[in-house]
Amino acid sequence: MRSRAQPSFLTPASWRSCAFRHSLKSAVQSRLGSSTFTTRNHFKPQGIFSAAATGRTTRFQCCAASNGVPEPSTNQSEPPVSYDFRSFEPKWQGIWAERGDYGVPDPPELDTSKPKYYVLDMFPYPSGSGLHVGHPEGYTATDILARFKRKQGYNVMHPMGWDAFGLPAEQYALTTGTHPAITTEQNITRFREQLQALGFSYDWGREVRTTDPNYYKWTQWIFLKLWEKGLAYQDNKPVNWCPALGTVLANEEVIDGLSERGSHPVERRQMKQWVLKITEYAERLLEDLDDLDWPESVKDMQRNWIGKSVGVELSFKATNPENSEVQIDIDVYTTRPETVCGVSYVVVAPEWEDLDYLMTTTKRAEVQDYIEKARRKSDRERTGEGLAREKTGVWTGSYAKNPINGEDVQVWVGDYVLGGYGTGAVMAVPGHDARDYEFAKTFSLPIKQVIEGDVSEGAFTSEGKVMNWEGAAGIDLDGVTSSEAKERLIQHLENKQLGKLRVNYKLRDWLFSRQRYWGEPFPIVFVDGEAKAVDESELPITLPDVDSYTPSGTGESPLSVVDDWVNTVDRSTGEKAVRETNTMPQWAGSCWYYLRFIDPKNPGAPVDPELEQYWMPVDMYVGGVEHAVLHLLYSRFWHKVLYDIGVVSTKEPFQRLVNQGMILGEMEHIGFKNDSGEWVSAKFVDSVGNVHIKTGESLKAVKVIAEDLVKKGEHMALKLNQSIRVLSRAHKMSKSRGNVVNPDAVINSYGADALRCYLMFMGPLEQVKPWGTKGVQGMSRFLARAWRLVVDPLTDGLCDAVNDGEATVDQRKILHQTIKRVTADTEGLRFNTAISAMTEFVNAATKWDSRPREVLVPFISMLSAYAPHISEELWERIGEKSILAHTEWPQYKEEYDVEDNKMIVVQVNGKVRSRIEVPSSATKDDILDAAMDVKQVQKYLDGLTIRKQIYVPDKLVNLVTSK
């Protein structure tokens, strides 16, 4: 073993050289293998080396047996020198909170002459499981923007709060007996700690939660305004009733007839419900989409959900053969009146109100049994949304007369028609509608063709010419294109009073009540059975503190059994009254939270008008695409109501929307073996993954670790046999798959900054991406290199290369090229390429023997938007005294980004023969002379005469020759 005495090559001069120290670190790393240098502040020091030249003690950790210092190595690769993130990340989080770096003042302290930027994350629900690494992706993006805009001189609103009411907390209370308020508080604390550990620059002084009575007082107030405008009403509605959960579920909470939570059976039941008349705003919700900077895919989803169509309402007269004197009108709506002569049957929904009149004696039992089965299905199941399901139905025994051609057609009941949508009945044209075609084939019903086209294998739904019209309704349409026929026919039917022009919307009124305890109480009482709004002075109507959250068993809310809360007095009259015991859905509080952030402590209004006018609309709203329709549509609806009553000054709440992509679990690799234990390439395995597509033999799936694989084209293959391809897939993070990655563990191992940078570096923000821990390691190495630009890892002091000298032309050029790229990429949300630009800067600056503060300070300022903790520490160590969060974003100066040289292509007779680099000031003659001096060019000129010299400025030279 070598002596620990000072090696002869360690002279004071060489010790002070940063370049030498990098060489020394490489040498130690090369000799000791898997080693990590740390300063004396780091954990588990195992070896010690005393440097007499500096008087400092430096420690390193290693896994080698020897603690000796080897000779310097010529290996130029940098060792993975770490930085002590565990010491300074909590330190700066505490300083930010104490100083209030990210708080936004209210008037008169707020300088409203400055531009504003309101950047918002979608309201999180604080679940007991906490965050996984996919959740902070969007939060990191908004934090970078918030930090970026502050540095550009904006007042930045960047708040955080909690969508804390909802079914999960109530179900947990039922299971454990713990009050939902307690578990909600615990979950919020957990979420807040995790978010703070990531260094997000939220203004925590504006934190709100939907469960706070001071918040939901204004949710109740908004409901009263909806009531006053006639936009809230009660109605008997078919709902998704879950007996096991004891509550009504929204359609999206029911999957294949089972509750999303708990997988309990769900049935349809008629119940008196509160409903909001969102349909009154359908046209405005549709039109105003055009003015929003949202992804077109999201706007299309909302347009489809609203579902505007222009068509005709027709009335088919239905008769029960057993009582032919009674006729029932079956109103249908169609957007294709030109196909009405192709109607071969009519279908009504199981809930259709006059269905009882249409059942003949022989069909009654069968129809009633069908209705009962349909009652147990969700709307999603019935319509087959997202499913491939066979059409079901029963003939009622009755007939209806086509009002256009007078033909009698059968009347069926089918559950794919919904009673709550449109008229609850449809005219079926199987020749030209795919759904009707499938139904007709299933029940052997006639298929009539009235538009020219092939209907032998399926419905013809394209444009074509009308046929078999035969003068029906007193108009000749045979041979006319279907679009022209529709236009002419709508007007004709209206004039002849055979039909009514209708603008229809697929959008339905919003079912707004839930049979739950843990939700906002309605500000409604019933006096003698009549609903009456409470006075605003009584708000908030708070939840009673109860011992049991067990459902009533009657379909009513658990609140219905709290007698001393339910029974009250109408304060305006003194009469006895009964409270509404349903509660609002979880959507209620999340519809308007963005307004309360602006003015969270206002006791007299939901938001101050002057503050609202300054801050609204939200400039950037970031969240998952799963909220593309409902949350965003509901929020827009409430906002428009508030606009109409003068509470807000903008027609829309969210000017720009960005959907971050999902972070999947780590890539999983599956190989396949046959019964003999031999590997089978994945290209020969069926999509299910268990059968050889050539031999038909069963195969066994085997997990393969990444270390045993190699990249082969677009696929991964076994290292030992690269002809064996494996199946590589990443899956959504879930506890059941065991692929959830906890951000706490990543932060503990690599630091918050490394996690933040990796989340942004994985790929474009909107893209779905698989998690990879090695990528975090890569970001950690990048930040370690940035650290070593300023800090000497062997002394933990300022690196000798850092100085107050003037930057070189090349250094300024590299800096301003970086400023230009990072600025543009941050503005464009191209965070991954912005980080690439900064890594290139670090790679270049690492080679500089002199690193002027003039160059390092602007770089640290840019880096702070992405990696704020390490940047703050570097900012302090380099001697800056200003608050980093509020220092100006570096300005790009074009005069520093001038190329000293330019590249010229040299052609001979139009073919590229060389490229030359010449000074930017070179003249045409200089460039021509230089081109002909190149040996590679001269050999193509030997023995030839140059007939012409073509020069394209700053691009190319073409020498045209002849013999």
Side-chain angles (χ1 to χ4, degrees), residues 321 346 358-360 363-364 366-367 393-399 409-413 439 443 445:
V346 171
L358 300 180
M359 301 179 202
T360 61
K363 287 289 185 180
R364 181 170 294 276
E366 187 180 3
V367 172
V394 177
W395 179 35
T396 64
S398 294
Y399 294 86
V409 295
Q410 292 181 352
V411 179
W412 285 65
V413 56
F439 192 95
F443 297 103
L445 294 168

Side-chain angles (χ1 to χ4, degrees), residues 260-299:
E260 182 181 31
R261 182 174 181 82
S263 297
H264 302 296
V266 175
E267 62 185 45
R268 299 291 282 176
R269 178 184 289 190
Q270 291 286 131
M271 296 182 69
K272 200 166 190 178
Q273 300 287 307
W274 283 101
V275 185
L276 299 187
K277 201 177 289 185
I278 190 173
T279 51
E280 288 286 311
Y281 283 73
E283 190 62 31
R284 287 168 63 181
L285 289 167
L286 193 61
E287 288 180 355
D288 292 344
L289 282 171
D290 294 338
D291 299 326
L292 298 178
D293 184 7
W294 288 16
E296 279 304 316
S297 59
V298 173
K299 292 200 279 188

Side-chain angles (χ1 to χ4, degrees), residues 421-532:
Y421 173 58
T423 65
V426 298
M427 64 175 216
V429 186
H432 307 290
D433 182 277
R435 185 178 60 175
D436 296 341
Y437 187 95
E438 183 182 343
F439 192 95
K441 282 292 187 181
T442 301
F443 297 103
S444 301
L445 294 168
I447 297 175
K448 300 179 180 179
Q449 185 172 3
V450 291
I451 305 292
E452 291 181 1
D454 184 10
V455 296
S456 59
E457 299 295 331
F460 179 77
T461 58
S462 302
E463 176 82 0
K465 291 184 178 181
V466 175
M467 60 185 290
N468 296 329
W469 185 264
E470 298 173 351
I475 184 171
D476 184 13
L477 295 177
D478 283 316
V480 177
T481 62
S482 50
S483 56
E484 183 185 346
K486 173 182 176 178
E487 204 172 306
R488 288 171 55 184
L489 188 57
I490 288 176
Q491 189 64 48
H492 178 78
L493 294 176
E494 273 222 300
N495 292 341
K496 296 290 186 180
Q497 297 185 339
L498 294 172
K500 300 174 184 177
L501 176 65
R502 286 281 184 269
V503 176
N504 201 20
Y505 299 92
K506 192 165 69 173
L507 180 68
R508 285 169 278 170
D509 282 345
W510 176 9
L511 185 65
F512 195 68
S513 50
R514 299 290 186 270
Q515 289 65 51
R516 300 174 186 165
Y517 166 77
W518 196 234
E520 298 93 337
F522 282 92
I524 297 290
V525 295
F526 295 90
V527 180
D528 295 329
E530 292 295 320
K532 185 175 181 179

Side-chain angles (χ1 to χ4, degrees), residues 10 23 146 149 232 290 300 306 564 571 660 716 766 886:
L10 277 181
S23 177
K149 289 296 182 179
D290 294 338
D300 284 343
I306 296 168
D564 58 350
R571 293 188 186 178
Q660 83 272 12
M716 300 299 290
E766 298 90 344
H886 299 287

